[in-house]
Amino acid sequence: MEGTLAGKIRKVFLDHPDENLQVQFIAEELDMIADAEKQILYRAIKDFYKRDEIKRISVGVYRYKGLGKKPELRQIMWAALRSKKTVTVDYLIEMSKAKEDYVREWLRFLKRRKIIKKNSNSSYTLINDSVRMPVNNEKAEKCRRIRQKKKKALEAIDEILKTALDARMAVAEMDDE
Amino acid sequence: MEQIKLKPVFVKTRNVRNFEVMMDGLALSEGEGRLGIVYGRAGRGKPRTSQWYQANNGCIYLRMITVWRTSELYFLQMLCREVGVLPPYRKGPAFTAFTDKMRSDPRPVFLDEMEKLPKFFLDLVRDLSDESKAPFILIGEDELLGYMRQNRKVWSRTFQQLQFDPIEIKDIIIFATETAGLKLTPQVAKLFYLSSEGDFRIVKRDILNLVQIANAKGTTEVTEDMAKIAIKTGLAGR
């Protein structure tokens, strides 16, 4: 992220926490002195302001606020589950606006981990509150395994193609002789 | 006709909108201890709204438990746990551990059913808010307002108060439209309003009954008769 212009601007702000920074100062820090470069910088600063990442103090003076990160759906569902203890799928959808399939998959994962138990009335009760949201690495692990297998298969295909090409060349050379 | 289903949607009623305004108001006085109070009769959606808000905004929510009445320690330990601190076994260290942690990340704290605990807990909440600089929002029934008013130091730090009013006719119409796709006339909505006395839970139950009736009749046109049957079905189970 730091390689991008937004990343560089963010770094300047973060290097001067709780300070009001002039755009001119940021331009100098980033060595963007030419007018054409400054235009790009102004546009980027405007984007920062639009997404509420910086606060405008006065004309050309800004202060960093930070990215108001919206919690992930899983985090919203986890907080809702912890506050109510016993929840239904509908309750989690209502709280988080998540899709039903996603909620069910997440609940299945928690059930596998023995964090919740399913009740007879299709509700789920939190039985092992770890406070911190449990992270589902299973899917990531599965994707990693698939990627590795795919890589190996592609390498094998390349090897076969290379051998076939070598054989073809050899045959061509034989014809030439 | 396709079957009507009740969709799980969080409807932003007038109370919810006021709640958001209240939270914005509390955020304005960032950097100092302050309290907020949300009160009103049962069935108006106070916990639901605070649970929805805390889940979507990374706040802390704690429901008061009757057994904490005898000691502040359990209450403090639970707060420590909520912020990810290993709860100390004594009150003083637990208080310090919580406030230290919160000072670096002062998130709003919702304390539900606060009126269950003795009045002296209000002073503890005031201290927690002062030390941590985090806003504490106390949620409870009408008597909570009286408790807080009696304590001058607590009341002077109460920057925002919000009474959860009975659900309005307009909210009932929006609720039926957003959750079931049923269009209610103001006359029909008024029937639900009068029978529920503004209790959101009862309205929800009656709308659910209405959906079943509409499905049985195979229509989406809601008449006053259908509404009356839905209300009567609900009353029978009371």
Side-chain angles (χ1 to χ4, degrees), chain A residues 70-72 75-77 79-80 82-85 89-91 93-97 128-132, chain B residues 6 8-11 48-49 51-59 61 63 78 81-84 204:
Chain A
K70 212 179 175 321
E72 288 175 42
Q75 281 172 322
I76 297 173
M77 292 194 292
R82 288 196 65 237
S83 65
K84 197 137 196 302
K85 311 293 181 209
V89 172
D90 280 358
Y91 176 80
I93 296 171
E94 191 183 322
M95 290 287 131
S96 65
K97 289 187 185 167
N128 188 5
D129 185 0
S130 54
V131 182
R132 281 197 182 166
Chain B
L6 206 66
V9 179
F10 185 80
V11 179
R48 192 81 153 193
T49 307
Q51 281 164 3
W52 166 80
Y53 188 90
Q54 69 90 20
N56 283 276
N57 294 280
C59 310
Y61 175 91
R63 188 173 156 265
M78 284 309 286
R81 204 165 172 266
E82 289 298 316
V83 291
K204 267 187 184 177

Side-chain angles (χ1 to χ4, degrees), chain A residues 131-151:
Chain A
V131 182
R132 281 197 182 166
M133 184 183 72
V135 184
N136 187 359
N137 291 328
E138 291 166 19
K139 212 169 180 179
E141 196 63 40
K142 197 178 163 187
C143 289
R144 206 172 297 132
R145 274 202 305 272
I146 291 169
R147 271 201 304 275
Q148 277 173 353
K149 273 186 188 171
K150 203 174 162 185
K151 197 179 165 192

Side-chain angles (χ1 to χ4, degrees), chain A residues 10-24:
Chain A
R10 196 171 289 121
K11 193 175 179 299
V12 174
F13 274 114
L14 290 173
D15 286 345
H16 301 84
D18 301 325
E19 276 181 47
N20 301 335
L21 300 187
Q22 286 189 338
V23 178
Q24 184 62 33

Side-chain angles (χ1 to χ4, degrees), chain A residues 22-39:
Chain A
Q22 286 189 338
V23 178
Q24 184 62 33
F25 173 79
I26 300 168
E28 282 166 15
E29 286 284 299
L30 297 178
D31 203 17
M32 296 175 88
I33 311 297
D35 280 350
E37 286 175 326
K38 276 185 187 168
Q39 289 301 325

Side-chain angles (χ1 to χ4, degrees), chain A residues 158-175:
Chain A
D158 283 348
E159 192 65 33
I160 292 164
L161 287 173
K162 195 174 169 272
T163 316
L165 199 67
D166 286 348
R168 200 184 172 93
M169 293 278 278
V171 172
E173 279 169 19
M174 280 162 70
D175 283 345

Side-chain angles (χ1 to χ4, degrees), chain B residues 33-75:
Chain B
R34 68 269 194 213
L35 307 174
I37 173 177
V38 178
Y39 64 101
R41 247 179 64 181
R44 303 255 165 100
K46 298 180 300 292
R48 192 81 153 193
T49 307
S50 45
Q51 281 164 3
W52 166 80
Y53 188 90
Q54 69 90 20
N56 283 276
N57 294 280
C59 310
I60 295 166
Y61 175 91
L62 203 59
R63 188 173 156 265
M64 300 297 113
I65 308 292
T66 316
V67 290
W68 298 349
R69 289 176 67 89
T70 48
S71 165
E72 301 99 318
L73 181 62
Y74 294 121
F75 170 58

